[in-house]
């Protein structure tokens, strides 16, 4: 499993988008500025998310991006699959001869398969809404403090 920068930035941008769509479409440059992400890199990320049906774009002077579904229905597994492909650990390669075959099978069956099952369950139950709520909670904790 590789949780790439592309997926990290994509999820951060989706959280931002979900938090800022009240007035309508959100400009890509605004999301990029708020999250310190290059606009060009974010364009590539959003292209993949749009093709996967996670985002929709609106053209024109008041255009921008919107989520294609409610944040509560958007699974983080779908985002990672759209941006990185599979999120599973690679299968243990078995050797053709008998040497190491039992050991490889033990690693695959007792380590890799359970980890993959846990990752799949976790990412398929984690929604964008959960991350939006977490982000808002963290903002409240780390908000600006004013002292007199």
């Amino acid at each position: 499993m590789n949780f790439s920068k592309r997926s990290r930035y994509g999820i951060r941008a989706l959280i931002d988008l979900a938090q800022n769509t009240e007035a309508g479409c959100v400009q890509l440059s605004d999301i990029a500025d708020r999250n310190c992400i290059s606009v060009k890199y974010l364009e590539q990320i959003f292209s993949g998310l749009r093709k996967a049906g996670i985002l929709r774009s609106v053209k024109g002077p008041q255009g921008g991006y919107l989520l294609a579904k409610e944040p509560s229905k958007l699974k983080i597994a779908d985002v990672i699959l759209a941006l990185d492909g599979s999120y599973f650990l690679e299968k243990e390669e078995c050797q053709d001869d008998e040497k190491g075959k039992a050991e490889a099978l033990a690693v695959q069956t007792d380590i890799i398969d359970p980890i993959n099952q846990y990752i799949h369950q976790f990412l398929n139950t984690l929604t964008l809404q959960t991350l939006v709520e977490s982000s808002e909670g963290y903002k409240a904790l780390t908000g600006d403090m004013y002292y007199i």
Side-chain angles (χ1 to χ4, degrees), residues 3 7-19 35 67 70-80 83 122-140:
F3 191 50
S7 283
R8 291 170 197 243
Y9 284 179
I11 293 168
R12 284 174 46 190
L14 289 173
I15 292 169
D16 183 286
L17 183 62
Q19 291 173 326
N35 290 277
L67 293 171
E70 293 294 318
S72 62
K73 295 186 174 149
L74 182 54
K75 297 175 187 172
I76 298 305
D78 296 334
V79 176
I80 295 171
L83 296 174
F122 176 74
L123 293 175
N124 272 292
T125 56
L126 183 63
T127 66
L128 182 60
Q129 183 64 39
T130 303
L131 295 178
V132 166
E133 291 167 3
S134 290
S135 174
E136 290 168 356
Y138 294 134
K139 282 181 185 177

Side-chain angles (χ1 to χ4, degrees), residues 7-74:
S7 283
R8 291 170 197 243
Y9 284 179
I11 293 168
R12 284 174 46 190
L14 289 173
I15 292 169
D16 183 286
L17 183 62
Q19 291 173 326
N20 292 291
T21 55
E22 295 164 2
C25 295
V26 179
Q27 298 285 319
L28 189 71
S29 59
D30 293 338
I31 297 169
D33 286 344
R34 285 189 294 265
N35 290 277
C36 300
I37 303 171
S38 155
V39 173
K40 285 190 175 257
Y41 193 45
L42 201 53
E43 284 173 350
Q44 294 172 8
I45 292 170
F46 273 32
S47 174
L49 294 172
R50 194 176 63 249
K51 287 177 186 172
I54 293 170
L55 292 177
R56 54 188 185 97
S57 60
V58 178
K59 298 198 184 287
Q62 300 300 316
Y65 287 91
L66 296 167
L67 293 171
K69 6 175 150 174
E70 293 294 318
S72 62
K73 295 186 174 149
L74 182 54

